[in-house]
């Protein structure tokens, strides 16, 4: 059972938009920045979003992040087949350990 | 180019030990906190342990506390994870990850630990 709650799967057609939610509590998301990671099949996770809504260099602006209270959302617009992956939210909790969501599998139909 | 390369994984019997290494290059290793994160087969990401740049602050997940020890050698740009009293449930791919931006900006390719 993961500390942060994500939907197991989402799907949308190419070119469409999808959002992935991440729910936590005041001891984690509520008092810390959130990050989002993309894990393509058979590869290591890759940082997509940090500090709630910032993108590292090289991440296209099709990816966006937001946070409100104890929840966060990852948005992906202009979906491409190459976006099919598992997406994880992550943050820190009051014990100074990292916590993650259970992951959301994105299918581009 | 930042690179993190893990090694030391393998097959071990329950109760056994393994020592993982993560060789870092392309950045000033001693300037960053480093972490181990694992992923059991078909499962999500799980924090294992973190160590500050100077080794002054160390944290462990409750599931590994007392059995695993994280350490680092800044002179050799290498991160370690000593794993003792291994259990079947420790089976996972173990990633080392650089801590930055309040998250992890670089990850290694992972090393598989199988306890069976």
């Amino acid at each position: 059972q993961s500390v942060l709650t994500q939907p197991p799967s989402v799907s949308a057609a190419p070119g469409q938009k999808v959002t992935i939610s991440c729910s936590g509590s005041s001891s984690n998301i509520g008092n810390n920045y959130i990050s989002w990671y993309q894990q393509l099949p058979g590869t290591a996770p890759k940082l997509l979003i940090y500090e709630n809504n910032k993108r590292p260099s090289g991440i296209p602006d099709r990816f966006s992040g937001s946070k409100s209270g104890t929840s966060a959302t990852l948005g992906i617009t202009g979906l491409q087949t190459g976006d099919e992956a598992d997406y994880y939210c992550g943050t820190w909790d009051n014990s100074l350990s990292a916590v993650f969501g259970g992951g959301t599998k994105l299918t581009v139909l | 180019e930042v690179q993190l390369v893990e090694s030391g994984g393998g097959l071990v019997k329950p109760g056994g030990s393994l020592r993982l290494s993560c060789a870092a290059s392309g950045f000033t290793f001693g300037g960053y906190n480093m972490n181990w994160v694992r992923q059991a087969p078909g499962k999500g990401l799980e924090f294992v342990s973190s160590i500050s740049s100077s080794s002054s602050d160390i944290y462990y997940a409750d599931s590994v506390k007392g059995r695993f020890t994280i350490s680092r050698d800044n002179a050799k740009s290498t991160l370690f994870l000593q794993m003792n009293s291994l259990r079947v449930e420790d089976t996972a791919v173990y990633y080392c990850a650089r801590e930055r931006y309040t998250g992890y900006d670089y990850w290694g390719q992972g090393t598989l630990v199988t306890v069976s």
Side-chain angles (χ1 to χ4, degrees):
Chain A
Q1 190 79 355
S2 300
V3 174
L4 307 180
T5 301
Q6 296 180 236
S9 63
V10 296
S11 62
Q16 296 301 303
K17 174 182 177 178
V18 71
T19 60
I20 298 173
S21 61
C22 176
S23 178
S25 69
S26 58
S27 65
N28 43 65
I29 295 179
N31 282 294
N32 291 284
Y33 287 116
I34 194 143
S35 301
W36 289 92
Y37 304 91
Q38 177 193 60
Q39 187 174 33
L40 297 169
T43 69
K46 173 184 177 182
L47 180 65
L48 276 184
I49 298 289
Y50 68 96
E51 291 181 2
N52 302 336
N53 55 19
K54 298 177 182 176
R55 284 175 287 105
S57 174
I59 301 300
D61 59 7
R62 300 189 298 108
F63 295 90
S64 63
S66 65
K67 173 188 148 179
S68 178
T70 58
S71 295
T73 301
L74 172 71
I76 311 173
T77 60
L79 277 172
Q80 303 172 2
T81 55
D83 295 332
E84 285 204 336
D86 293 324
Y87 292 84
Y88 294 89
C89 57
T91 186
W92 299 88
D93 69 14
N94 292 344
S95 66
L96 300 180
S97 299
V99 291
F100 296 96
T104 298
K105 182 176 181 62
L106 169 63
T107 301
V108 181
L109 303 168
Chain B
E1 179 194 4
V2 172
Q3 283 198 318
L4 299 171
V5 180
E6 302 94 337
S7 60
L11 175 63
V12 62
K13 295 184 186 304
S17 298
L18 276 178
R19 190 191 197 204
L20 306 184
S21 299
C22 171
S25 61
F27 66 102
T28 304
F29 180 74
Y32 292 86
N33 296 350
M34 297 295 296
N35 287 235
W36 289 98
V37 177
R38 69 184 180 184
Q39 186 171 34
K43 302 296 184 182
L45 303 173
E46 180 189 15
F47 168 82
V48 174
S49 183
S50 66
I51 184 168
S52 63
S53 56
S54 64
S55 302
S56 59
D57 296 307
I58 289 175
Y59 301 96
Y60 298 99
D62 288 342
S63 57
V64 307
K65 204 170 293 183
R67 300 187 299 123
F68 290 11
T69 302
I70 192 172
S71 61
R72 63 190 296 163
D73 184 336
N74 286 345
K76 296 183 177 179
S77 296
T78 305
L79 176 71
F80 302 101
L81 185 67
Q82 177 67 43
M83 304 187 297
N84 299 330
S85 303
L86 282 162
R87 305 168 179 168
V88 170
E89 55 265 33
D90 295 319
T91 294
V93 173
Y94 285 72
Y95 296 102
C96 69
R98 189 177 82 167
E99 196 180 308
R100 192 181 181 201
Y101 303 136
T102 70
Y104 303 116
D105 65 340
Y106 283 96
W107 300 64
Q109 86 289 350
T111 187
L112 176 62
V113 172
T114 303
V115 185
S116 178

